[in-house]
Amino acid sequence: MTGKNSRQSRFIQQVFITININNRAKLGRLITKMAKVAFILLCHKDPDAIIKQAQSLTAVGDYISIHFDARSGAGSFGRIRAALKDNPNVAFAKRIKCGWGEWSLVRATLNAVEAAVDAFPRATHFYMLSGDCMAIKSAEYAHSFLDRRECDYVESFDYFESDWIKTGWREERLVYRHWFNERTQKRRFYAMFEAQRRLGLTRKIPEDIEVMVGSQWWCLRRRTIEAILEFVKKRRDVVRFFASTWIPDETFFQTLVRHLVPGQEIESRTLTFLLFTDYGMPVSFYNDHYDLLLSQDYLFARKISTDASELRRRLGVLYAAEKAQFRISNEGRSLFNFLTERGRTGRRFSPRFWETESSLGRERELLIVICKKWHVAKRLTDRIQQMTNIPCIEYLFNEDSCPLPDLGGIQSTMGKRHRHRRALMRMLYDYYETDRLVICLDPGSLDLLEDFARDRAQTRMLEIECHFSDEYLVGHAMRSGLAGDRTPADTLARLLPTVRNDLLHESDRIRDAKFDNHSSLRETDSRVAHTQAIETFLTVPPSVAEEIVSHDHLFAD
């Protein structure tokens, strides 16, 4: 009896051991399958929002690797690091200076990816984000979504055959070398392009690479990310090629994923919901878009307006929610197209975007240089852009030939620029991805000055007061049609006092308007006074202001 009981006992123990082993195996497979996301965050402003975003995304166990643009102040980055230093799910990438359309954006992304791979060995997916992105699903939903299919999510369309690029350059992005930033070094950018075009200095695409194009907002598996990093180490020729293409963040990862991953493991879509207006500008989402966003078949949305504090709060809480239910209708894109189409046909279902967005934005800053001598203002703004990287646009409301980006036609004529002035300015802020913008205006544009001064944006004006010689006044009279090449000298002599008084009257009208934040930079003042005027206007350190006004021929005619 004892032997029988002993055999039964060993049998029962063996059964329990087997069951336990099987359960552990199942648990191991479950743990392996559960998605853990490392977010790759590229950002350049609003440190408080970045801190909240990182805290929200890591609260449920996910990770985040942050690249904060080196062009932004060290103080802002220090605030982010100090706030998140004790969070083990946060990593920081090596910072570099970034510029739109440059290779630097890809390099910054690679830096953040490398930091994430090293810091978070349990991360199964790597999800690209910007500071304007927020989750529109819970982490529970997102993890389940990623577990459903073993694939990479990245828009990856044939560069030459697809219609992903709607307008503008296509082949030119690749076959010519682009070393300068199109937004901050426009003249050099196009001069280099034109020189290569005229000399026929084109180059070949690496033979084994089929270039793809798509949105930069991707979500890739760990093994794909590791394969890309290994490829980057081995194929320096491919890296060199993309490093001098234009807007490589729309082609680099999209091409490499398709090159390294079997097609059946690629879902050619983004998991970030974003819309664009007819003018090619991204649509911002506000407080009343909460329900609309949650019903879309996406995990994140871009761009969430900085003014939408309630929407940001609700979405921040949402990511940590448990057992949240989402009814996917996915009507956002078709609804947006329908509503905007009504405006074209006259059946106005909702206001056009330039009517609803009539303000430049409370968080934005408009810096206006006012000067009758346009060449003086242009020299000054060129120095400002060199020393501060604040985008500067010359006399866009006074000069037809002012170089402007293609904004869908709203910039094409002077009439459109004036009629939709605030819409045009908002689009320029979005185009340059900045909250600070410098423009030049002629002193005769009092209506524009008054309009911008009434806006909710912070407006500051710097009036440059120049000395007007008789020779300059004669040239001005001819340029404005008051005189011609054959006008007699005695007629010009009688005309000059009138012209001089007219210029003084324009300046007097600006003073009489008593604008807030209006300062002057006088040609006759000392270099010290010039430095102080620039320091006040731009709110920059004295050393930067002094460097800006150090131009020896600023006022030369």
Side-chain angles (χ1 to χ4, degrees), residues 214-285:
S215 167
Q216 63 269 53
W217 312 113
W218 41 254
C219 178
L220 305 178
R221 296 166 297 173
R222 185 180 193 92
R223 66 185 184 192
T224 302
I225 285 291
E226 290 174 344
I228 289 173
L229 295 179
E230 187 64 26
F231 182 91
V232 167
K233 291 178 183 178
K234 293 180 178 179
R235 293 295 303 273
R236 305 307 300 172
D237 60 320
V238 175
V239 173
R240 283 194 299 271
F241 171 78
F242 280 104
S244 56
T245 60
W246 190 41
I247 322 181
D249 54 318
E250 293 181 349
T251 54
F252 181 77
F253 290 98
Q254 297 78 356
T255 299
L256 265 57
V257 171
R258 187 68 68 173
H259 183 73
L260 297 168
V261 177
Q264 65 270 22
E265 296 182 20
I266 300 173
E267 184 74 26
S268 189
R269 59 162 294 192
T270 176
L271 298 181
T272 299
F273 179 62
L274 63 164
L275 295 172
F276 290 90
T277 68
D278 293 341
Y279 293 92
M281 306 308 296
V283 172
S284 292
F285 298 107

Side-chain angles (χ1 to χ4, degrees), residues 39 69 97 99 146 178 215 318 332 388 402 508 513 522 535:
F39 294 102
D69 194 339
K97 293 181 178 180
L146 294 174
H178 303 280
S215 167
L318 174 69
T388 67
C402 171
D508 287 340
R522 300 176 181 85
E535 182 183 349

Side-chain angles (χ1 to χ4, degrees), residues 37-53:
V37 184
F39 294 102
I40 307 302
L41 178 63
L42 263 59
C43 49
H44 65 280
K45 61 180 181 179
D46 203 350
D48 291 334
I50 298 303
I51 293 167
K52 290 178 182 177
Q53 188 179 26

Side-chain angles (χ1 to χ4, degrees), residues 513-530:
K514 297 180 180 179
F515 294 119
D516 293 334
N517 303 314
H518 171 262
S519 56
S520 298
L521 191 155
R522 300 176 181 85
E523 181 176 356
T524 54
D525 284 347
S526 66
R527 178 66 63 83
V528 173
H530 291 171

Side-chain angles (χ1 to χ4, degrees), residues 483-514:
D485 294 337
R486 299 183 181 181
T487 302
D490 58 338
T491 303
L492 283 174
R494 292 194 300 271
L495 187 61
L496 291 187
T498 303
V499 175
R500 189 182 299 275
N501 289 334
D502 185 61
L503 298 184
L504 293 175
H505 177 64
E506 288 181 347
S507 185
D508 287 340
R509 290 175 66 203
I510 293 173
R511 288 193 184 89
D512 291 341
K514 297 180 180 179

Side-chain angles (χ1 to χ4, degrees), residues 361-422:
R362 192 185 303 276
E363 76 284 359
R364 285 172 170 162
E365 196 174 5
L366 180 61
L367 306 168
I368 305 175
V369 175
I370 308 165
C371 188
K372 197 67 184 182
K373 291 186 176 181
W374 292 6
H375 56 280
V376 174
K378 291 178 181 180
R379 285 188 198 126
L380 179 64
T381 53
D382 186 55
R383 294 287 295 173
I384 290 173
Q385 188 156 283
Q386 289 178 27
M387 298 305 303
T388 67
N389 286 315
I390 302 173
C392 298
I393 305 170
E394 296 171 355
Y395 289 85
L396 74 164
F397 293 107
N398 304 110
E399 190 174 26
D400 281 311
S401 60
C402 171
L404 290 171
D406 185 357
L407 302 175
I410 195 173
Q411 84 296 339
S412 58
T413 67
M414 193 61 70
K416 287 184 178 181
R417 295 181 202 176
H418 279 261
R419 280 197 304 275
H420 307 306
R421 62 189 67 166
R422 295 196 187 190

